[in-house]
Amino acid sequence: MSNELIINSTQDGERIALLQDKRLVEFHHEKKDTNYIVGDIFLGTVKKVMPGLNAAFIDIGYHKDAFLHYHDLGANIKTLNKYVKAAQTQKNASAKLNQLKFEPEIDKLGKIADVLKKGQQLLVQIVKEPISTKGPRLSCELSLAGRYLVLVPFSNTVSVSKKIVSKEERTRLKRLITSIKPENFGVIIRTVAEGREVAELDRDLRNMVESWEEGFKSLKIAKPNDKIIGELGRSSSILRDLMNESFDNIVVDDESLYDEIKAYIGSIAPDKVKILKHYTGKTKTFEHFNIERQLKAAFGKTVTIPGGGYLVIEHTEALHVVDVNSGNKSNTETDQEATALNVNMMAAKEVARQLRLRDIGGIIVVDFIDMKSPENRQKVYEVVKEELKRDRSKSTVLPISKFGLMQITRQRVRPEQNIVTGEVCPTCNGTGKISASILITDEIDVAVDDLLTRHNHRSLTLYVHPFLYSYYTKGLFSKQLKWFFHYFKWVKFVKDTSLGITDFKVMDDKGEEIELRTALTEVNGVQE
């Protein structure tokens, strides 16, 4: 199975697509204005203590206060508060914890009002991003994730991932990490650490300790709501978590991001640097790798299942519902039970893919086609479980009930991906009234003439529908060539299948989109 990671840099952030055998299985959009992602550590301020909820609302700078429950304080919250106070008030305070005297642990069944007071400052970490009308979910049990290990300050426990089943390997890793970890730092050994040498584990551990020490320096001069330690960007965190898989390609189309990722891969997996490629093609990145088309096909309300049948995906406030339908597949089998099994088996794989692709979390109910045979229901259940093993988010799957329903819960730590696949008519903007499509070429001609003569642009790039692309570029004496001899400036055309036939975009020589309406009104002196 081939694995490819395609990263497309846009004006408002990075779009990240994970392909398996050229098929889209994960999609993330990391926006540049996202300041509250899972793993970030902030210096928060207690705004409200809610004894009835046994929780507190914490101000970390987000427009809604973040939520912190008593159970997320951690047993050593008093020691953490002592550390924060010392960092802010004592000049000789140290980031190291080896000389720190631990305070008594708090009662597991205690009250939050006995631990936190309004106006108090404390270190908190985001464990769930803001979703819908809710603010971030916080924890005071801090941790720093590396490639092989997770560093847990204010703890001395060394634990090993349950997925490492070899008793000898578990013993080796635990003994190894116990001998090299700093005092009063706990460590969780991740699954990918299996079989790794001490040098790799030690380098990973030292990198996390350095991050903690840098955070301590920030804490000494920090103001309320300041970010103390930032988690990696979405693209780097995906690389960190998935680099153990056999990636064939990592493609980036932005030069600065390419250099950043190259340096990061060089630090965590130097042998993988050669698979990183900088895409410089003329076609848009997601168009070139056929991702744009897959996004449009996969994010609609109705999703086609390979081999026949389709899914209908509905979202409510409480849960997500997936209905499996046979479609024209019902005519291909003579036996009704065989038809139901075949469609359900294909649907099971697509449901698992959709959960990863849309990052759907919470409760999911799947209504499969009814099957009488318990063995067939078990087969579908096993397929869903097997497919979800590839998912990085934790999930729980229950067997299909006698009503044909399967219940799934999936960890939700960030808002689900939602791509609008229905398109507003580019000419009428949804009004239902359009001008003649034949006039689009006149509109383009006027815009080009205006920008090249009156605005004196040196060059232009037009993104147009493939039909318009052919109209302007094909032939010995194409319209594009005639423009060149007329203006002595070159107008570049790029095919964009996401645009309607009566829609187009114009970019200047710096790659910035030109607002045509604004440009034309400036020239004509018209005030709108």
Side-chain angles (χ1 to χ4, degrees):
M1 179 180 291
S2 66
N3 289 287
E4 295 178 286
L5 196 67
I6 315 298
I7 305 174
N8 169 226
S9 185
T10 64
Q11 291 182 345
D12 60 344
E14 279 76 47
R15 296 194 300 167
I16 306 160
L18 176 61
L19 305 180
Q20 288 181 349
D21 293 333
K22 305 296 182 183
R23 194 159 183 253
L24 185 66
V25 293
E26 277 192 42
F27 175 76
H28 303 273
H29 191 181
E30 183 180 3
K31 296 183 178 179
K32 290 183 178 177
D33 60 352
T34 303
N35 296 317
Y36 302 91
I37 62 176
V38 172
D40 284 348
I41 298 176
F42 285 83
L43 180 62
T45 305
V46 180
K47 292 297 292 289
K48 295 177 184 176
V49 177
M50 309 291 287
L53 297 174
N54 205 17
F57 287 98
I58 313 295
D59 179 16
I60 59 172
Y62 190 67
H63 66 269
K64 285 214 168 207
D65 291 337
F67 183 80
L68 174 65
H69 194 270
Y70 181 84
H71 293 154
D72 295 319
L73 290 176
N76 291 309
I77 179 63
K78 291 183 178 179
T79 306
L80 174 62
N81 289 339
K82 176 183 175 181
Y83 176 83
V84 172
K85 188 174 182 180
Q88 293 177 322
T89 58
Q90 299 177 13
K91 291 183 178 180
N92 60 346
S94 171
K96 297 179 180 179
L97 306 181
N98 55 345
Q99 296 180 350
L100 183 68
K101 184 179 178 182
F102 275 39
E103 296 293 313
E105 294 185 356
I106 62 172
D107 184 1
K108 290 182 179 179
L109 303 176
K111 303 295 182 183
I112 199 163
D114 298 332
V115 182
L116 300 182
K117 302 290 185 253
K118 183 178 179 180
Q120 179 180 345
Q121 293 182 6
L122 73 164
L123 276 183
V124 290
Q125 185 168 33
I126 295 178
V127 294
K128 184 182 287 188
E129 293 178 15
I131 298 174
S132 185
T133 58
K134 300 175 183 177
R137 178 77 182 257
L138 304 178
S139 173
C140 288
E141 294 187 277
L142 309 181
S143 63
L144 281 72
R147 188 183 178 203
Y148 304 116
L149 309 170
V150 177
L151 187 69
V152 185
F154 310 103
S155 171
N156 276 301
T157 304
V158 176
S159 55
V160 186
S161 167
K162 293 180 181 178
K163 292 182 180 179
I164 299 178
V165 294
S166 169
K167 185 177 180 180
E168 293 78 11
E169 180 64 6
R170 293 176 66 88
T171 304
R172 181 188 79 89
L173 289 171
K174 196 166 186 177
R175 184 174 62 248
L176 185 61
I177 296 302
T178 303
S179 66
I180 62 174
K181 78 173 186 67
E183 190 177 349
N184 291 336
F185 281 96
V187 175
I188 300 170
I189 302 171
R190 305 180 71 176
T191 309
V192 290
E194 188 172 9
R196 297 296 173 179
E197 299 295 329
V198 63
E200 293 177 282
L201 301 177
D202 183 56
R203 182 171 65 244
D204 196 35
L205 184 62
R206 280 190 281 107
N207 288 341
M208 289 183 290
V209 172
E210 286 176 11
S211 296
W212 176 258
E213 291 175 350
E214 287 297 321
F216 176 79
K217 293 176 184 177
S218 301
L219 181 60
K220 290 183 73 70
I221 58 173
K223 298 176 182 177
N225 304 340
D226 280 358
K227 185 185 292 187
I228 306 303
I229 300 175
E231 171 63 304
L232 295 169
R234 194 69 51 81
S235 52
S236 296
S237 64
I238 289 175
L239 287 172
R240 178 191 66 200
D241 295 341
L242 297 181
M243 190 58 76
N244 58 307
E245 296 188 13
S246 54
F247 272 98
D248 300 302
N249 281 311
I250 301 170
V251 180
V252 186
D253 60 5
D254 181 75
E255 190 172 357
S256 60
L257 186 62
Y258 169 81
D259 293 336
E260 178 187 331
I261 292 177
K262 186 176 182 180
Y264 178 71
I265 295 177
S267 66
I268 66 165
D271 57 312
K272 296 283 187 180
V273 171
K274 61 181 181 292
I275 67 174
L276 179 65
K277 296 178 176 61
H278 182 207
Y279 177 75
T280 56
K282 295 180 180 179
T283 311
K284 291 167 69 175
T285 313
F286 272 27
E287 291 275 359
H288 177 78
F289 290 96
N290 196 34
I291 298 171
E292 205 73 62
R293 184 183 297 274
Q294 292 192 59
L295 286 174
K296 292 292 185 182
F299 276 86
K301 177 181 175 181
T302 303
V303 179
T304 304
I305 303 170
Y310 61 95
L311 306 178
V312 178
I313 303 175
E314 296 277 6
H315 308 280
T316 72
E317 187 66 26
L319 49 81
H320 309 270
V321 182
V322 182
D323 184 33
V324 180
N325 295 277
S326 60
N328 59 7
K329 184 72 176 175
S330 57
N331 298 323
T332 63
E333 299 282 353
T334 55
D335 178 52
Q336 184 178 348
E337 184 77 4
T339 301
L341 177 61
N342 287 338
V343 175
N344 285 341
M345 293 287 274
M346 297 300 296
K349 295 180 180 179
E350 185 61 29
V351 166
R353 172 176 173 255
Q354 287 291 327
L355 298 187
R356 293 177 65 188
L357 195 55
R358 304 186 188 212
D359 207 2
I360 295 174
I363 301 172
I364 303 104
V365 176
V366 186
D367 182 11
F368 285 103
I369 300 171
D370 290 340
M371 295 177 293
K372 296 179 181 179
S373 168
E375 291 80 9
N376 290 341
R377 291 199 293 267
Q378 183 66 23
K379 286 179 183 178
V380 175
Y381 169 64
E382 294 295 339
V383 169
V384 174
K385 281 210 308 180
E386 188 63 32
E387 290 293 320
L388 286 176
K389 285 182 180 179
R390 304 175 188 174
D391 194 352
R392 290 182 297 134
S393 295
K394 296 177 182 177
S395 58
T396 303
V397 185
L398 296 183
I400 299 176
S401 70
K402 62 181 179 180
F403 298 118
L405 303 178
M406 174 181 285
Q407 299 170 70
I408 303 171
T409 60
R410 185 174 182 271
Q411 183 184 23
R412 177 165 61 179
V413 295
R414 58 180 63 90
E416 71 177 86
Q417 293 291 337
N418 186 25
I419 295 177
V420 179
T421 55
E423 298 177 359
V424 175
C425 173
T427 305
C428 73
N429 290 320
T431 63
K433 297 178 181 179
I434 65 171
S435 59
S437 58
I438 197 172
L439 298 179
I440 184 62
T441 54
D442 294 341
E443 189 178 341
I444 292 175
D445 293 348
V446 170
V448 169
D449 183 71
D450 178 72
L451 293 170
L452 293 182
T453 55
R454 298 185 184 184
H455 283 261
N456 202 28
H457 282 273
R458 289 182 296 178
S459 64
L460 298 173
T461 301
L462 267 70
Y463 287 82
V464 296
H465 188 276
F467 288 172
L468 289 172
Y469 176 86
S470 298
Y471 172 78
Y472 280 102
T473 61
K474 299 301 180 183
L476 184 60
F477 294 101
S478 64
K479 188 87 171 176
Q480 185 183 33
L481 192 61
K482 290 176 182 177
W483 278 351
F484 176 73
F485 287 123
H486 181 73
Y487 300 110
F488 294 103
K489 296 177 182 177
W490 187 250
V491 178
K492 179 183 176 183
F493 282 86
V494 178
K495 285 187 284 189
D496 190 342
T497 55
S498 67
L499 295 175
I501 193 170
T502 55
D503 199 12
F504 67 97
K505 292 192 297 185
V506 185
M507 304 290 185
D508 60 18
D509 54 341
K510 296 179 181 177
E512 297 178 355
E513 185 174 356
I514 299 171
E515 295 289 343
L516 292 176
R517 185 178 295 275
T518 304
L520 291 173
T521 52
E522 286 177 356
V523 171
N524 297 327
V526 177
Q527 296 292 328
E528 293 193 353

